[in-house]
Amino acid sequence: MIFQPLTAQDGPQLADLGAAMAFAPAPQVLGETLSAALAQGGAAFGALEEGTLVGALLLVRTAPDAARVTCGVRPSHERRGIGGLLLRMADDWAWENGVARLEIAVRKEDLVARHVFDRHGYGSAGFRRGVAGPDGQTFDELLLEKPVPPREEA
C-alpha cells in the first residue's frame, strides 16, 4: 500500500473511487473540486494498491483555522486500517498548517465510517435532514468535528 499526495490529474481515479462507494459525480466535477481545494490551501492524499486508488482524503479549508475532511475507502478495502491512516494524515496536515478544527459530515446510516471517526476523536456538532445526494435521493447526515490541539515540542 502506498500513501501519497493527490493532484488535480487524479480526478478520474477519485471519481472511480466515488462510484465504488455509491457516490458518483462526474470525473470533471471531482477534478474541479480537487483543484479548487488545492488552490485554496487544502490538500488531498490517496492510498494506492497496485496503482488503483483504494482510499482518499480531501481537506478543504473552510476558515483560516478550520478544514472540512472528506475521507473514503473502497468497500472491498474497508476494515484494513486505511481510513484510520488517512485520518492520521489529516491530523498531521492540520498541525503543519495551523488548522485548529477538522469538520466532517457522514451519512447517518454509515455505521462503519461513524465508528472510525469516533475512534479518531470526532464528536457530534450537528445534524442535517434531507441532504440531496448525487443520485437525487435524500439522506440524513451527521456533522462531526474534532479539535486539533497544538503539537507539544519534544
Side-chain angles (χ1 to χ4, degrees), residues 32-91:
E32 290 167 9
T33 302
L34 180 56
S35 295
L38 297 174
Q40 295 170 11
F45 301 96
L48 290 100
E49 184 176 75
E50 297 178 8
T52 299
L53 189 65
V54 297
L57 170 74
L58 183 62
L59 297 140
V60 179
R61 286 212 186 241
T62 56
D65 67 343
R68 183 178 62 245
V69 176
T70 303
C71 183
V73 175
R74 196 173 287 274
S76 60
H77 287 71
E78 287 179 348
R79 299 178 192 263
R80 294 187 191 181
I82 297 167
L85 288 170
L86 289 167
L87 290 174
R88 282 195 285 285
M89 292 175 80
D91 291 344

Side-chain angles (χ1 to χ4, degrees), residues 101-104 122-127 142-146:
R101 187 179 73 249
L102 294 172
E103 307 158 341
I104 198 160
Y122 288 83
S124 180
F127 183 80
L142 299 174
L143 306 174
L144 308 173
E145 67 180 17
K146 174 184 183 173

Side-chain angles (χ1 to χ4, degrees), residues 78-139:
E78 287 179 348
R79 299 178 192 263
R80 294 187 191 181
I82 297 167
L85 288 170
L86 289 167
L87 290 174
R88 282 195 285 285
M89 292 175 80
D91 291 344
D92 289 343
W93 177 85
W95 281 315
E96 293 166 6
N97 289 278
V99 171
R101 187 179 73 249
L102 294 172
E103 307 158 341
I104 198 160
V106 63
R107 287 181 185 231
K108 181 179 152 187
E109 67 273 6
D110 190 346
L111 299 178
V112 172
R114 288 172 54 188
H115 177 71
V116 171
F117 300 138
D118 182 59
R119 279 196 0 244
H120 287 273
Y122 288 83
S124 180
F127 183 80
R128 283 193 287 224
R129 282 193 196 282
V131 175
D135 58 2
Q137 299 292 316
T138 61
F139 58 91

